[in-house]
Amino acid sequence: MKKHLLDLTITENRFIGESHILMKLTSNEKLPEVVPGQFVEVRIDHTPTVFLRRPISINFVDYKTNELWLLIQLVGDGTNHLSTLKAGDVVNIIMPLGNGFSKPTNARDKVLLVGGGVGIAPLLMLGAELKRDGFQIDYLLGARSASGLLLLEEFRKYGDVYVTTEDGSEGETGYVTNHSILKKQRYAKIYTCGPTPMMRSIAAFAVKENVDCEVSLENKMACGLGACLCCVTETTAGHKCVCSDGPVFNIKDLKW
């Protein structure tokens, strides 16, 4: 898939909770086609402490309004600088990068999308496209507390949403892997993105239940193009770059 170097204009940049922002960007030209699960590399301008681009999952592409959505967790100088930008500011972006999720083969299948923390980001667009194609969608989203549950109303547009929080402030108490829906419902495929321990637990559940499962890895990245080799992960076919060979992998291909 062709990569594009774009100067995009911010249309909206607002806080979602205390430590996340939702940034929406547009272009005078039609945005490139994107596969759910792909990401962008964002250049951080006008700051002396950040030299590398930041990899950020694509949250959504609204082709009607020609807007790209990025759900960004504020974790350091780069992302905190992005939170200070305003509508009308220009951001330089390389997109789309990596390989995204694959779709089930049978439109009658029911699928589960599991996200934790900011790992929910790529699952919004994935759910939208799966629903458009006729699949039945359940979301299972987890956070430490209710304040960490993001964009729930957006997710509810595309499927039933089930929630866990570690402190019990919303939904069922505990981790996503403990949610009762996993005992009540049988799924044909599972997609997941979030903290590695969570994804490993979901992967173990999928193996036990003989369910096909894809995970989106969140290894630290620098170039985003497969050149620097800092995001390498071990697979059954040898070492692969998460940025160029992933970030989405079938769990059958990972040495988990």
Side-chain angles (χ1 to χ4, degrees), residues 2 7 19 21 34 87 105 107 115 135 138 163 195 208 213 228 233 256:
K2 182 179 178 180
D7 284 327
S19 59
I21 57 172
V34 168
T105 56
F135 295 96
D138 280 350
V163 167
K208 179 182 176 182
C213 179
C228 69
T233 193
W256 279 9

Side-chain angles (χ1 to χ4, degrees), residues 134-210:
F135 295 96
Q136 299 180 63
I137 309 300
D138 280 350
Y139 282 108
L140 177 53
L141 307 177
R144 291 181 179 177
S145 64
S147 63
L149 296 167
L150 310 172
L151 301 177
L152 291 185
E153 290 308 311
E154 292 293 334
F155 284 102
R156 290 186 177 115
K157 293 178 181 178
Y158 308 114
D160 292 329
V161 176
Y162 301 90
V163 167
T164 66
T165 51
E166 293 178 30
D167 65 0
S169 53
E170 187 165 342
E172 295 188 12
T173 303
Y175 302 112
V176 289
T177 47
N178 305 129
H179 198 284
S180 60
I181 192 64
L182 296 177
K183 299 178 181 178
K184 298 176 182 177
Q185 180 64 53
R186 174 73 181 180
Y187 296 99
K189 188 159 187 172
I190 297 175
Y191 304 89
T192 184
C193 183
T196 298
M198 183 208 79
M199 290 194 293
R200 284 180 175 269
S201 294
I202 290 295
F205 169 82
V207 169
K208 179 182 176 182
E209 298 296 322
N210 195 29

Side-chain angles (χ1 to χ4, degrees), residues 1 3 13 17 23 73 81 92 104 110 128 140 197 240 242:
M1 184 176 288
K3 301 172 180 61
N13 194 26
M23 180 182 287
Q73 184 177 16
H81 178 74
N92 184 268
K110 189 158 190 173
L140 177 53
K240 300 286 186 178
V242 170

Side-chain angles (χ1 to χ4, degrees), residues 7-133:
D7 284 327
L8 301 184
T9 302
I10 296 176
T11 58
E12 181 181 349
N13 194 26
R14 61 185 173 92
F15 273 83
I16 305 291
E18 297 180 354
S19 59
H20 298 80
I21 57 172
L22 180 63
M23 180 182 287
K24 298 183 181 181
L25 307 107
T26 192
S27 172
N28 292 328
E29 305 294 330
K30 182 180 178 182
L31 289 171
E33 293 293 323
V34 168
V35 176
Q38 291 184 302
F39 67 98
V40 303
E41 283 269 352
V42 180
R43 191 176 71 199
I44 311 297
D45 294 326
H46 311 302
T47 171
T49 60
V50 182
F51 304 100
L52 298 175
R53 291 177 180 265
R54 291 296 183 263
I56 299 173
S57 294
I58 295 172
N59 182 218
F60 195 77
V61 178
D62 189 332
Y63 292 107
K64 293 181 180 178
T65 62
N66 203 43
E67 282 186 326
L68 167 72
W69 297 14
L70 301 177
L71 180 62
I72 304 170
Q73 184 177 16
L74 309 182
V75 295
D77 289 351
T79 49
N80 276 287
H81 178 74
L82 292 177
S83 73
T84 67
L85 301 182
K86 308 296 183 184
D89 288 339
V90 174
V91 180
N92 184 268
I93 284 178
I94 303 174
M95 69 174 290
L97 298 172
N99 296 299
F101 295 102
S102 66
K103 293 182 180 179
T105 56
N106 191 337
R108 292 174 296 178
D109 288 344
K110 189 158 190 173
V111 297
L112 179 66
L113 282 59
V114 186
V118 77
I120 66 171
L123 302 182
L124 181 63
M125 186 176 180
L126 175 62
E129 294 207 0
L130 290 174
K131 181 179 180 181
R132 180 200 64 191
D133 293 343

Side-chain angles (χ1 to χ4, degrees), residues 37-39 97-100 215-217 221 242-249:
Q38 291 184 302
F39 67 98
L97 298 172
N99 296 299
V215 301
S216 179
L217 302 186
M221 299 180 189
V242 170
C243 65
S244 56
D245 298 306
V248 176
F249 292 89

